[in-house]
Structures are given as structure tokens and as C-alpha cells.
């Protein structure tokens, strides 16, 4: 049976008589426009079309890192719509307007704009400072807002965070001054849990409200953490808790502590991407860099901070992009078969050259993490 491949939009730019046919570029996305951008489309329907969006973008030969940016942009739009709908509902129920300025933050991969097809919710809320005697009134308002928009996102297909990292909970919903005090407490010593919580907070991006509050929080982080020597030491030590998917002989292997779904499965998110992301984050904190995305951080650490050589930065950037590609390809395969899009890949599905390149990338990441840990 002959396999028929869909024509690339780039090969349809010219008609037979040589005229430019720009509509060929928009054709792969045209069937999605009403589903993704219409105000009449529900959040659930818009989110359900993300697989189709990813498949359409693949036809443009876009790399996974670029597709992840588009998916992240779309998720951010879903956040803003969920927040707007929640505010409208609260107004209709007599809650009125937000009593003070606020800023909803994306956390984790959403904040880095590196989401693929299976993210859950990670978010937080900064509330502008207000007098203590108004706490019940004002925090009650934003608790209601947090519960409403996170419920809407859950119903749309972006599930609630199982670790409770969401603005609906007091731990992740605070006044700006309370966030600053929290940072001081978390960074005062080298307790593992506090460093882990801070690591979650360090990757944030404003998605709704007043972004000036997020900028002020970023300034506080840059002024506080690099000076906290015990905290920074523990942050480096925690890199040891993120093993790369290699055995002692340098071969691809899943960690025995992870419940692999099958024999040749590797959790590429936990054992590849996260060790790299965490080491790069640590270097940015040390050198007071404000970039959030891993790609931007790697470039900044080479060009601006001169912490990495250009060669090392390029090599790690290529490894990061290839790991994203492997994970997106697996997630597309899973979703097309009706399975969950998670962090696991099936090494058996990779060609021999792809397995060799994956092993090389993981070896470079392991060496880099060791370098950052020892510095």
C-alpha cells in the first residue's frame, strides 16, 4: 500500500502560473479558527482542539520548542478567559470590582512557555498590600476568584494541581509584602521543603491583572536569594535528587524508583528536561538573571552573563530542543491513540540514530548538572 503524505504548505506557495498563493499558508489552520478564537467557543472546546492545533503546526515543519510556545500562548489565553468569566460571574453575584490591584501568575512550564499537550495547573496570586483589618474582606474576594477560575480551567481540561500549587490556596495567594516575607523565611536556612517551594515560585509570568506587581516580586527575588548562602547551597544539593535517565555505564535507563508504564519507557520530563531546567534556573539565580524561559536563560548565560561558553550554551540548547521534540512526538502518538499525554517516552519507538543522539544529549545534561552542582 502506498503511503500518501499531506503536502507541506510551503510547497504550495506558487500556482502553476507562478503567482504567489498566500492562502496556502493559512489553509492548515483555517479549520481551527472558529474553534480556537470564537467568543462563542467554550473553554473546554477550545482546549480540546489543541491536539489538532499541534498537528496543524507540525505541517508547517515547526520544531517542538516553537509549537510549545504556541500551545503555551493558547493556554495563557484560556487562563485570561477563565479569569474574565469568573470576574463577570462575581460582579453579577454582587461581589463588585476587585478591591485592590492583583496579578495572577503562571508557574512552571506555563510560565516558561514550554507547555506541551499534558500540563496541569500551576499558578499563584499577588495581591497589592492592604490594611490587616480588611483581610477577611479582601482575601475572601480573591479566594473566591481563585476557586472560580481554577475550577473553570479544570473543567476545560487543564486539571487542578495535585500538589495544590494554585491561587485558590493561601500558600500561593498573598499580599506583595507577604510574598517578600515568605521569601525571607524560605531562604533563611537550607530546609529542603522550603527550597523546593521557592524553586516552584522562581519560574513565574504574569497572565492577568497588574504586571507591575510581578516585576516587584522579581526584584525582591533577585535582591534576596543570591545572598542567602545556605539556601543557595541546598538549592545546588537538590540537583542530586534529579537523576538523569542513564545507568552507571552511560546507557539510557529509567530510574528504578519510577513506575515505568512498560519495559523501555523513560520519563524524559523527570529524568531529562527537569534536571536541565533546574540547573539552568540555579545559574540564573546565582547571577541575578531575570529570564524565565529555558532557551532565553541559556542564551543569556552565554551572551550576557558569560557564565557558559557559546559552544556549551548551543549544545545544551540543542539538547533541550531535541528532548522537547521527543516528548511532543510521543504525546501526539499517545493522544492520537486515546492515551494520556505525560512525561514518558517509549525508547523502542526511536530509530537507532535517535537513541544514540538521545543518549548523547542525556550525557551532556548529566555533565552540566554535575558542573553546576560543584560550582
Amino acid at each position: 500500500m502506498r503511503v500518501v503524505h499531506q503536502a507541506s504548505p510551503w510547497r504550495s506557495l506558487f500556482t502553476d502560473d507562478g503567482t504567489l498563493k498566500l492562502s496556502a499558508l493559512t489553509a492548515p489552520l483555517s479549520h481551527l479558527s472558529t474553534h480556537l478564537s470564537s467568543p462563542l467557543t467554550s473553554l473546554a472546546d477550545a482546549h480540546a482542539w489543541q491536539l489538532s492545533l499541534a498537528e496543524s503546526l507540525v505541517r508547517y515543519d515547526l520544531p517542538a520548542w516553537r509549537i510549545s510556545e504556541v500551545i503555551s500562548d493558547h493556554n495563557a489565553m484560556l487562563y485570561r478567559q477563565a479569569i474574565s468569566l469568573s470576574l463577570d460571574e462575581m460582579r453579577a453575584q454582587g461581589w463588585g470590582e476587585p478591591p485592590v490591584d492583583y496579578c495572577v501568575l503562571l508557574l512552571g512550564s506555563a510560565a516558561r512557555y514550554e507547555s506541551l499537550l499534558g500540563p496541569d495547573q500551576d499558578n499563584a496570586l499577588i495581591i497589592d498590600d492592604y490594611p490587616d483589618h480588611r483581610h477577611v474582606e479582601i482575601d475572601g474576594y480573591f479566594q473566591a476568584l481563585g476557586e472560580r477560575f481554577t475550577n473553570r480551567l479544570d473543567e476545560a481540561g487543564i486539571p487542578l494541581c495535585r500538589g495544590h500549587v494554585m491561587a485558590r490556596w493561601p500558600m500561593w495567594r498573598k499580599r506583595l509584602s507577604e510574598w517578600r516575607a515568605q521569601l525571607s523565611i524560605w531562604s533563611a536556612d537550607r530546609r529542603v521543603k522550603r527550597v523546593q517551594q521557592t524553586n516552584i515560585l522562581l519560574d513565574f509570568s504574569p497572565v492577568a491583572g497588574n504586571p507591575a506587581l510581578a516585576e516587584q516580586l522579581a526584584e525582591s527575588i533577585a535582591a534576596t536569594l543570591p545572598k542567602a548562602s545556605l539556601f543557595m547551597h541546598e538549592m545546588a544539593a537538590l540537583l542530586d535528587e534529579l537523576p538523569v535517565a542513564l545507568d552507571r555505564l552511560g546507557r539510557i535507563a529509567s530510574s528504578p524508583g519510577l513506575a515505568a508504564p512498560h519495559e523501555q519507557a523513560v520519563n524524559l520530563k523527570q529524568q531529562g528536561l527537569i534536571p536541565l531546567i533546574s540547573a539552568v534556573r540555579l545559574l540564573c539565580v546565582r547571577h541575578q538573571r531575570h529570564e524565565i524561559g529555558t532557551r532565553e536563560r541559556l542564551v543569556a548565560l552565554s551572551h550576557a552573563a558569560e557564565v557558559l561558553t557559546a559552544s556549551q550554551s548551543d549544545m545544551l540548547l540543542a539538547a533541550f530542543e531535541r528532548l522537547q521534540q521527543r516528548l511532543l512526538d510521543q504525546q501526539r502518538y499517545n493522544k492520537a491513540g486515546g492515551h494520556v499525554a505525560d512525561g514518558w517516552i517509549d525508547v523502542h519507538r526511536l530509530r537507532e540514530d535517535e537513541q544514540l543522539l538521545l543518549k548523547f544529549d542525556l550525557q551532556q545534561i548529566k555533565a552540566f548538572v554535575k558542573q553546576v552542582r560543584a560550582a
Side-chain angles (χ1 to χ4, degrees):
M1 181 177 68
R2 185 169 66 92
V3 177
V4 179
H5 297 282
Q6 288 184 306
S8 165
W10 304 107
R11 298 296 303 277
S12 306
L13 273 178
F14 295 98
T15 62
D16 291 340
D17 61 5
T19 57
L20 195 61
K21 187 180 179 183
L22 292 179
S23 61
L25 283 180
T26 61
L29 291 174
S30 60
H31 71 291
L32 293 173
S33 60
T34 56
H35 298 280
L36 292 172
S37 57
S38 169
L40 299 178
T41 301
S42 70
L43 295 179
D45 287 343
H47 182 264
W49 277 79
Q50 277 192 358
L51 177 60
S52 296
L53 172 62
E55 296 295 346
S56 297
L57 294 175
V58 167
R59 290 189 58 195
Y60 287 93
D61 306 312
L62 291 180
W65 68 266
R66 183 68 78 187
I67 294 175
S68 75
E69 289 182 338
V70 176
I71 292 173
S72 298
D73 284 336
H74 185 246
N75 282 336
M77 180 270 290
L78 296 179
Y79 260 84
R80 285 189 287 270
Q81 287 191 357
I83 293 165
S84 178
L85 289 169
S86 298
L87 287 170
D88 287 344
E89 179 181 76
M90 292 177 69
R91 292 185 188 101
Q93 293 176 351
W95 289 80
E97 298 296 326
V100 293
D101 267 357
Y102 68 96
C103 183
V104 177
L105 303 177
L106 299 173
L107 302 177
S109 61
R112 298 189 302 270
Y113 283 76
E114 296 165 6
S115 295
L116 295 174
L117 293 174
D120 61 0
Q121 292 185 50
D122 289 297
N123 52 72
L125 183 58
I126 307 173
I127 306 170
D128 204 3
D129 287 327
Y130 56 81
D132 288 344
H133 71 268
R134 296 188 65 191
H135 178 74
V136 172
E137 166 206 351
I138 295 178
D139 186 67
Y141 182 98
F142 289 108
Q143 178 183 350
L145 175 61
E147 290 174 352
R148 281 168 166 78
F149 85 74
T150 53
N151 281 339
R152 277 188 161 86
L153 291 170
D154 181 52
E155 292 166 0
I158 305 178
L160 298 173
C161 174
R162 287 178 291 181
H164 305 297
V165 181
M166 294 175 291
R168 64 193 291 143
W169 302 109
M171 172 66 77
W172 300 99
R173 183 186 70 249
K174 302 179 189 297
R175 286 175 279 187
L176 180 59
S177 59
E178 291 172 327
W179 277 117
R180 287 170 170 157
Q182 188 74 76
L183 279 169
S184 296
I185 294 170
W186 282 348
S187 62
D189 52 31
R190 52 178 305 168
R191 296 189 189 181
V192 171
K193 186 63 176 178
R194 291 178 176 180
V195 178
Q196 291 172 333
Q197 289 169 326
T198 308
N199 271 330
I200 294 171
L201 179 64
L202 288 176
D203 293 352
F204 69 85
S205 179
V207 71
N210 185 355
L213 294 171
E215 294 171 7
Q216 293 176 65
L217 180 59
E219 291 169 359
S220 296
I221 289 172
T224 303
L225 296 191
K227 300 175 185 176
S229 57
L230 291 176
F231 173 89
M232 294 299 295
H233 189 274
E234 185 62 28
M235 191 174 175
L238 281 179
L239 293 178
D240 292 338
E241 305 298 320
L242 302 170
V244 177
L246 296 169
D247 64 16
R248 59 188 181 86
L249 299 177
R251 300 171 300 192
I252 298 174
S254 186
S255 171
L258 298 177
H262 47 79
E263 184 178 356
Q264 289 192 288
V266 167
N267 194 316
L268 201 59
K269 177 180 178 181
Q270 293 293 331
Q271 296 180 269
L273 284 170
I274 288 182
L276 175 58
I277 289 166
S278 300
V280 172
R281 179 196 300 123
L282 173 55
L283 280 183
C284 282
V285 174
R286 281 179 182 167
H287 297 276
Q288 300 184 40
R289 299 300 311 176
H290 293 285
E291 291 80 11
I292 298 298
T294 305
R295 299 184 76 260
E296 291 75 18
R297 283 172 167 169
L298 281 168
V299 171
L301 289 169
S302 170
H303 296 170
E306 297 183 350
V307 177
L308 303 177
T309 65
S311 175
Q312 188 178 22
S313 174
D314 290 345
M315 184 170 59
L316 292 169
L317 190 57
F320 174 69
E321 292 174 358
R322 283 191 289 262
L323 263 59
Q324 281 189 304
Q325 190 70 58
R326 298 279 173 262
L327 192 52
L328 178 61
D329 290 346
Q330 183 71 53
Q331 289 186 352
R332 289 170 53 219
Y333 178 83
N334 289 358
K335 296 274 279 187
H339 303 296
V340 66
D342 54 23
W344 293 89
I345 66 163
D346 183 358
V347 178
H348 181 71
R349 293 188 62 245
L350 302 180
R351 300 188 309 264
E352 183 179 358
D353 62 311
E354 292 174 331
Q355 292 185 31
L356 289 172
L357 192 52
L358 175 59
K359 182 171 72 171
F360 173 80
D361 289 338
L362 292 174
Q363 288 171 343
Q364 303 315 305
I365 291 170
K366 184 174 182 178
F368 171 63
V369 172
K370 183 178 180 180
Q371 172 192 334
V372 174
R373 169 70 174 88

